[in-house]
Structures are given as structure tokens and as C-alpha cells.
Amino acid sequence: KPCPLCDEAKEILEPYKKRFILQEVDITLPENLAWYDKYKYDIPVFHLNGKFLMKHQVDIEKFEDQLIKLELQND
């Protein structure tokens, strides 16, 4: 389905796309019922490295901070 909030978030994250892998999950699909039950009123939702990071809109400072911490751990 169209998701303007998701599209806006992807646009904000575009400059960082070489530093992480964006995996989109369609929570309306039957196999994603658990995600739907948890986040149906909170899209978009972002997890980084399997951990909840933010919801509704991109907090770019928080994202950058957590991405740098993750990159430092992996070096």
C-alpha cells in the first residue's frame, strides 16, 4: 500500500544507504501478523541491528549516533 510516511523516512535515510541495509517489512502480510499487532498504529518503525530504534519519523541525530556506535563495534 502507499505509505507516505515510509517514503519520507526512506528519503531522509538515502544518504546513509551505503552504511546499512534497509529491510522493509510489509506488516499487512499474513506472515507478519506479530509485527502488525505490535506496530499497526506506529508506522514507520525502525530497528537497527535487531533492536528497536525509533518510530513515526526519523530522528536523524539518534540514527547517526547509533549507526556510528554500531560501526565502531564492528571495526
Side-chain angles (χ1 to χ4, degrees):
K1 297 178 181 179
C3 178
L5 296 172
C6 300
D7 294 339
E8 179 182 321
K10 287 189 286 187
E11 189 174 311
I12 292 168
L13 295 173
E14 178 71 20
Y16 302 90
K17 70 180 183 179
K18 293 184 180 186
R19 295 173 59 193
F20 74 101
I21 297 169
L22 178 65
Q23 179 184 356
E24 294 182 57
V25 176
D26 182 346
I27 65 171
T28 65
L29 297 176
E31 62 266 25
N32 296 325
L33 183 60
W35 290 114
Y36 180 80
D37 288 342
K38 189 170 186 174
Y39 294 125
K40 62 186 164 194
Y41 301 116
D42 292 315
I43 60 168
V45 175
F46 302 89
H47 290 203
L48 184 62
N49 207 29
K51 295 181 183 176
F52 173 81
L53 183 62
M54 58 194 160
K55 62 184 177 181
H56 300 151
Q57 60 187 18
V58 175
D59 178 338
I60 201 65
E61 289 180 17
K62 183 175 188 175
F63 174 73
E64 286 178 340
D65 180 57
Q66 293 301 309
L67 185 59
I68 289 169
K69 285 180 183 178
L70 187 60
E71 289 170 337
L72 291 173
Q73 286 176 357
N74 291 333
D75 283 344

